[in-house]
Amino acid sequence: MAKIIKKILVANRGEIALRVMRSAKEMGIKTVAVYSEADRKAPHVVYADEAVLLGPAPSSQSYLKGDRIIEACIKLGVDAIHPGYGFLSENADFAQAVADAGLVFIGPSARSMQMMGNKLAAKHAVKDFNIPMVPGLDEAIADISKAKRVAQEVGFPILIKAAAGGGGKGMRVVEKMEDFEEQMNLAVSEATSSFGDGSVFIEKYIGAPRHIEIQVLGDTQGNVVYLFERECSIQRRHQKLVEEAPSALLTPDVRKAMGEAAVRVAKACHYVGAGTVEFLCDENLNFYFLEMNTRLQVEHPVTEMITGLDLVREQIRIAAGEPLGYSQEDLSIRGHAIELRVCAEDPTNNFTPDIGQLKTYRRPQGYGVRVDDGMEEGMEIPVFYDPMISKLVVYGATREEAMDRMKRAIEEYQITGVATTLPFGTYVMNHPAFRSGQFDTNFIKHHYRPEDVLPKGNDQELAAILSAAELDKKQLSKTNDTSNTNGISAWKMNR
Ligand code: ADP
Ligand code: ADP
Ligand code: MG
């Protein structure tokens, strides 16, 4: 049934709020921003046609206030809510409340979200659909002696994982039986404090995996297509830093097999909208289902660049009840795209989040360069939210061209006042392992040393810079550590 969408409220902040509003504007749809007291002057608030203050800076008092957001929609005559990523985007209760209020939720049904929101529930949902899974136990472990038996069977190293986990949190590698019990207790308490749900399960720890995920789109008529893969193996703390499409690893046959598996996963939960099915790939190109993210993904722009489809426009069209209008055969890959997450983090100090003001902020320009951001020069990076400043996305005819363009764009990008991941991006683009496509999720652990991104000088000078930076950071990290942990747990607890 077709629905008319004339006004959208974006229940998010920063780059993704702007990203969504831009597509809405192109479609002739009015936009409403929401904001916290920390974001009064933020670009997403200025850009929107209307804006609503939600409350104080902490997300639990602002961006996670689902009831206030729905109230605002009713008051302002909003037709649909776009949740972005993070915050309420994977909260099934919120999606249901939106629908109950007679509004359109731009995303899947609350039921699909419930099925895929919990990693164990997801494994159960896809069980009968011929989807390869990481070997392990597909139920929560309660009995420690049974857990030990399973660990023995699966074979060490194993990974203990929080069923409700996300954002790279709630995972523990166990190398040997002697460590099992202690690690399991730690995993349970971490899962309880971060996600409000202590259920954990066991997976075989894949030694040198690549994280490769498939973008899917499903419409309300039951058509589902895959928009190929994104390679996201360059990670720190199990979180992505560099993403690209297509992957340098996949053959057309494996791409098709993974794409079709992803479509089966989407069909298993009657998926509607844009979603991502995540897989791990081993060195023999065997792939294993990890989880499904029931939202627009941070790294969606690389898929847009190689398919020519605006994913937010597609999400809105689908939410309005329009059919996809194309089939799998109509889709193809053109060129190569790479994204770097430009985060306020210090690559010389364990990627610790940095705080401060963007004293200088000048974006790169030119052919094949796209910057998705939500910041302006002079702004403070709020400590309450994700420390991502922008996503630097480049497009090239070939992978080689895209890598070289990324280097050029990073060189043009001027940011002072906070440490960023920009120098790390240059390091990756120059690295022989990345350039040749021979890398996995251990890239940072195996190759990267902080001194690799420091300016070249004589050894003494280098040592001095390093120790000064470390001293500085030691003082800073005390405040950072707590604010960051709180940020993540508050965000995830409310899913
Ligand atoms: P994606 O799966 O889209 O690549 P990530 O894996 O980086 O995103 O993060 C998963 C989810 O966790 C996203 O919805 C993201 O918004 C959220 N997230 C990422 N970093 C943080 C953070 N520092 N604090 C809270 N939530 C975060
Ligand atoms: P999250 O919900 O935090 O995104 P995922 O299950 O998607 O959790 O895993 C995040 C990352 O953790 C993966 O991209 C990969 O680097 C690592 N990982 C997860 N499961 C395994 C596994 N069984 N073996 C090795 N690495 C894994
Ligand atoms: Mg994941």
Side-chain angles (χ1 to χ4, degrees), residues 12-316:
N12 216 298
R13 65 181 298 283
E15 69 88 16
I16 196 61
L18 269 174
R19 160 74 195 87
V20 171
M21 288 175 196
R22 287 194 164 111
S23 290
K25 186 168 259 193
E26 288 169 16
M27 297 169 81
I29 298 171
K30 293 269 181 245
T31 55
V32 180
V34 293
Y35 62 99
S36 72
E37 282 164 12
D39 282 338
R40 281 183 190 280
K41 294 184 191 135
H44 80 276
V45 180
V46 178
Y47 191 92
D49 296 306
E50 290 168 274
V52 180
L53 174 67
L54 290 174
S59 16
S60 58
Q61 295 173 56
S62 51
Y63 295 104
L64 290 171
K65 285 266 176 210
D67 44 354
R68 288 218 53 184
I69 292 170
I70 293 172
E71 255 170 55
C73 287
I74 291 165
K75 201 163 136 215
L76 296 176
V78 166
D79 306 302
I81 297 182
H82 194 300
Y85 54 74
F87 297 126
L88 294 166
S89 63
E90 293 175 274
N91 184 316
D93 293 339
F94 178 66
Q96 190 58 52
V98 171
D100 291 346
L103 301 163
V104 176
F105 181 79
I106 302 175
S109 68
R111 179 93 191 90
S112 310
M113 266 187 201
Q114 249 156 11
M115 286 171 85
M116 291 296 155
N118 178 293
K119 294 190 204 305
L120 279 174
K123 284 184 193 247
H124 279 282
V126 305
K127 222 175 183 162
D128 300 329
F129 291 81
N130 188 24
I131 310 295
M133 309 254 201
V134 184
L137 186 66
D138 61 358
E139 56 188 74
I141 343 166
D143 175 358
I144 188 93
S145 55
K146 182 178 175 199
K148 282 184 173 172
R149 256 200 326 275
V150 173
Q152 194 69 57
E153 267 165 42
V154 169
F156 288 93
I158 56 137
L159 192 61
I160 304 181
K161 251 182 173 176
K169 290 209 71 191
M171 271 178 261
R172 285 193 169 256
V173 185
V174 189
E175 303 281 353
K176 49 188 194 306
M177 191 55 94
E178 295 86 276
D179 302 338
F180 186 85
E181 194 157 346
E182 187 192 348
Q183 291 300 317
M184 177 161 151
N185 291 335
L186 285 170
V188 171
S189 73
E190 198 173 289
T192 312
S193 67
S194 297
F195 311 111
D197 173 358
S199 333
V200 297
F201 63 100
I202 294 175
E203 260 178 18
K204 169 97 190 134
Y205 182 70
I206 313 273
R210 300 177 66 131
H211 175 117
I212 299 182
E213 58 188 33
I214 305 285
Q215 175 72 52
V216 295
L217 276 182
D219 64 17
T220 49
Q221 287 78 6
N223 305 301
V224 184
V225 296
Y226 61 91
L227 302 184
F228 314 106
E229 78 278 9
R230 290 184 290 257
E231 156 81 61
C232 313
S233 299
I234 307 285
Q235 306 181 341
R236 47 95 183 79
R237 298 188 283 270
H238 304 299
Q239 276 185 308
K240 305 150 190 171
L241 268 180
V242 176
E243 300 105 339
E244 61 178 319
S247 162
L249 184 80
L250 293 197
T251 60
D253 286 349
V254 178
R255 173 171 298 123
K256 185 162 186 279
M258 287 180 82
E260 287 172 355
V263 168
R264 291 198 299 277
V265 170
K267 287 192 168 161
C269 66
H270 309 287
Y271 201 81
V272 171
T276 297
V277 182
E278 297 191 329
F279 295 98
L280 286 184
C281 266
D282 66 19
E283 54 270 68
N284 301 320
L285 293 186
N286 298 307
F287 59 88
Y288 308 97
F289 173 68
L290 262 188
E291 64 164 344
M292 179 169 194
N293 291 329
T294 56
R295 56 174 163 85
L296 193 64
Q297 202 100 340
V298 175
E299 57 276 19
H300 75 276
V302 291
T303 300
E304 300 186 316
M305 305 308 263
I306 61 148
T307 59
L309 278 173
D310 173 340
L311 286 179
V312 173
R313 175 186 280 264
E314 294 309 295
Q315 285 187 299
I316 297 172

Side-chain angles (χ1 to χ4, degrees), residues 249-470:
L249 184 80
L250 293 197
T251 60
D253 286 349
V254 178
R255 173 171 298 123
K256 185 162 186 279
M258 287 180 82
E260 287 172 355
V263 168
R264 291 198 299 277
V265 170
K267 287 192 168 161
C269 66
H270 309 287
Y271 201 81
V272 171
T276 297
V277 182
E278 297 191 329
F279 295 98
L280 286 184
C281 266
D282 66 19
E283 54 270 68
N284 301 320
L285 293 186
N286 298 307
F287 59 88
Y288 308 97
F289 173 68
L290 262 188
E291 64 164 344
M292 179 169 194
N293 291 329
T294 56
R295 56 174 163 85
L296 193 64
Q297 202 100 340
V298 175
E299 57 276 19
H300 75 276
V302 291
T303 300
E304 300 186 316
M305 305 308 263
I306 61 148
T307 59
L309 278 173
D310 173 340
L311 286 179
V312 173
R313 175 186 280 264
E314 294 309 295
Q315 285 187 299
I316 297 172
R317 282 204 315 109
I318 290 166
E322 286 182 38
L324 286 180
Y326 39 82
S327 63
Q328 193 61 51
E329 294 69 48
D330 298 325
L331 297 165
S332 61
I333 298 177
R334 191 161 163 248
H336 199 97
I338 306 177
E339 172 181 285
L340 169 67
R341 297 195 193 191
V342 183
C343 301
E345 284 181 13
D346 187 351
T348 67
N349 185 32
N350 262 324
F351 297 93
T352 310
D354 202 2
I355 43 171
Q357 190 194 23
L358 287 180
K359 290 211 179 81
T360 321
Y361 186 70
R362 307 234 171 88
R363 299 169 183 91
Q365 293 182 318
Y367 182 71
V369 176
R370 164 177 172 182
V371 181
D372 279 19
D373 65 13
M375 297 269 185
E376 294 290 351
E377 193 168 87
M379 277 177 63
E380 292 278 338
I381 314 245
V383 294
F384 304 97
Y385 319 112
D386 200 330
M388 195 170 75
I389 299 169
S390 80
K391 302 185 307 203
L392 173 55
V393 185
V394 295
Y395 175 80
T398 61
R399 185 167 187 264
E400 182 100 10
E401 195 178 300
M403 291 187 289
D404 294 340
R405 183 158 293 137
M406 178 62 91
K407 286 202 288 182
R408 186 270 291 172
I410 292 173
E411 216 175 292
E412 275 180 35
Y413 214 149
Q414 289 177 43
I415 304 181
T416 65
V418 290
T420 75
T421 47
L422 283 173
F424 175 74
T426 305
Y427 170 82
V428 174
M429 295 306 126
N430 279 326
H431 200 282
F434 186 78
R435 287 202 84 88
S436 65
Q438 300 300 312
F439 60 93
D440 56 49
T441 58
N442 299 309
F443 178 86
I444 290 183
K445 194 165 91 195
H446 283 170
H447 301 294
Y448 178 68
R449 299 288 166 271
E451 48 273 30
D452 293 338
V453 298
L454 287 169
K456 297 271 175 290
N458 66 45
D459 286 352
Q460 258 178 341
E461 211 178 309
L462 229 152
I465 297 174
L466 247 181
S467 65
E470 240 145 53

